[in-house]
């Protein structure tokens, strides 16, 4: 009888240990890494309180180094990051032999054409001067934006849409003059040009509302993504944070607090 009770106690102990082990294995702290600014604000002001309702604690780290959020995610210092478009991520994965995984889009400040000396699109004249970013990727985006606007036409034979150059312009009916400027400086020299093409991050950091843009990028190639390690893809916390970033309350929060942002493509079908 004593031997039976001993086995019974041992069995109960094993069951209880298993229960406590499963509970402790469930991740309840989510570490989010972002670049400095709006993405951190979104995570702190809305996502953290929303996930707290489900028992999660969210810790947000903002990185001033543009490579920081991916390095930290890759080495396990954070669990998810929200700051980059897919082309940047693909470049990081190739350079670092990593396989970080994009899981959903997030609201992003768009590339836009802003007024300078001219206040409306209708005022464009022959020889209008447009300030465009100097770096290759954003210069390419600027040319594609001008084509979408109908001010120039690009060759259909461009091999890489992200290394478009002036030589790829096959039609320029307005005689647009492109003035190449370093991206951080463009907001300051708007008064010296007719129009200025400004990336979302530098418009935001310069206090320029996105709603003031005369035209914004209609494509989704450069919208930013939330990124995780692939082994976490089926985790409960990933499902919880995905739902938080797609809920009706979050959409209302973004529309009220971040006007002019480009919304994820999936929002159009939900």
């Amino acid at each position: 009888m004593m031997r039976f009770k001993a086995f019974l106690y041992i069995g109960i102990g094993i069951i209880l240990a298993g229960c406590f082990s499963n509970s402790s294995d469930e991740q309840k702290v989510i570490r989010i890494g972002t670049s400095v600014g709006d993405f951190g604000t979104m995570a702190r002001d809305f996502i953290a309180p929303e996930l707290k309702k489900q028992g999660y604690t969210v810790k947000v780290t903002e990185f001033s180094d543009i490579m920081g959020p991916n390095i930290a995610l890759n080495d396990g210092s954070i669990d998810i990051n929200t700051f980059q478009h897919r082309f940047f991520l693909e470049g990081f994965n190739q350079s670092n032999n990593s396989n970080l995984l994009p899981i959903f889009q997030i609201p992003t400040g768009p590339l836009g054409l802003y007024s300078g000396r001219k206040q409306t699109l209708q005022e464009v004249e022959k020889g209008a001067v447009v300030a465009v970013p100097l770096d290759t990727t954003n210069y390419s985006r600027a040319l594609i934006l001008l084509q979408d606007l109908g001010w120039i036409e690009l060759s259909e034979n461009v091999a890489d849409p992200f290394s478009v150059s002036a030589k790829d312009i096959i039609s320029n009916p307005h005689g647009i003059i492109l003035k190449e400027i370093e991206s951080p400086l463009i907001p300051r020299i708007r008064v010296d040009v007719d129009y200025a093409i400004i990336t979302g991050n530098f418009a935001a950091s310069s206090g320029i509302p996105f709603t003031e843009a005369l035209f914004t990028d209609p494509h989704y190639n450069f919208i930013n993504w939330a990124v995780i390690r692939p082994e976490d893809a089926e985790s409960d916390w990933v499902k919880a944070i995905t739902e938080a970033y797609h809920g009706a309350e979050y959409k209302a929060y973004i529309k009220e607090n971040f006007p002019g942002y480009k919304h994820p493509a999936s929002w159009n079908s939900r």
Side-chain angles (χ1 to χ4, degrees), residues 151-245:
W151 286 4
I152 65 171
E153 182 180 354
L154 299 171
S155 171
E156 295 181 355
N157 299 322
V158 176
D160 181 359
F162 304 111
S163 61
V164 183
S165 68
K167 64 180 176 56
D168 296 308
I169 299 174
I170 59 174
S171 177
N172 185 1
H174 295 291
I176 298 295
I177 298 172
L178 303 175
K179 187 171 184 177
E180 300 177 31
I181 305 287
E182 291 185 11
S183 290
L185 302 180
I186 294 180
R188 306 179 197 172
I189 56 90
R190 288 170 65 188
V191 295
D192 300 321
V193 296
D194 295 307
Y195 301 95
I197 294 179
I198 307 175
T199 59
N201 57 325
F202 288 116
S205 64
S206 301
I208 303 173
F210 298 132
T211 51
E212 289 187 2
L214 303 177
F215 188 78
T216 58
D217 181 5
H219 307 291
Y220 287 89
N221 293 325
F222 288 91
I223 197 167
N224 288 349
W225 288 75
V227 177
I228 61 171
R229 292 181 295 275
E231 58 265 30
D232 291 327
E234 300 301 321
S235 300
D236 288 342
W237 69 265
V238 170
K239 296 174 185 176
I241 200 169
T242 300
E243 291 173 2
Y245 271 98

Side-chain angles (χ1 to χ4, degrees), residues 3-79:
R3 182 177 298 177
F4 172 76
K5 287 183 178 179
F7 282 124
L8 178 61
Y9 293 147
I10 292 172
I12 293 173
I14 291 172
I15 293 172
L16 290 174
C19 292
F20 286 123
S21 175
N22 289 340
S23 176
S24 62
D25 285 345
E26 183 180 352
Q27 180 171 331
K28 283 298 184 179
V29 176
I30 303 174
R31 301 164 299 171
I32 302 176
T34 75
S35 52
V36 176
D38 49 3
F39 299 123
T41 301
M42 294 173 192
R44 277 193 308 271
D45 291 357
F46 185 90
I47 298 301
E50 187 68 15
L51 290 176
K52 186 177 181 180
K53 299 174 186 176
Q54 302 179 47
Y56 291 98
T57 297
V58 173
K59 296 182 179 180
V60 180
T61 301
E62 294 187 349
F63 294 83
S64 56
D65 173 11
I66 194 64
M67 301 300 290
N70 277 341
I71 293 172
L73 181 59
N74 206 36
D75 68 20
S77 301
I78 60 174
D79 303 303

Side-chain angles (χ1 to χ4, degrees), residues 104-154:
F104 57 81
Q105 295 173 349
I106 56 177
T108 305
L111 179 77
L113 178 83
Y114 292 83
S115 63
R117 293 185 293 243
K118 306 296 184 182
Q119 299 301 307
T120 68
L121 297 177
Q122 291 69 33
E123 294 178 66
V124 62
E125 296 177 340
K126 195 79 171 179
V129 178
V130 180
V132 296
L134 181 62
D135 64 282
T136 301
T137 297
N138 286 315
Y139 180 83
S140 300
R141 294 176 67 194
L143 292 186
I144 294 171
L145 184 77
L146 291 173
Q147 175 171 256
D148 291 331
L149 184 56
W151 286 4
I152 65 171
E153 182 180 354
L154 299 171

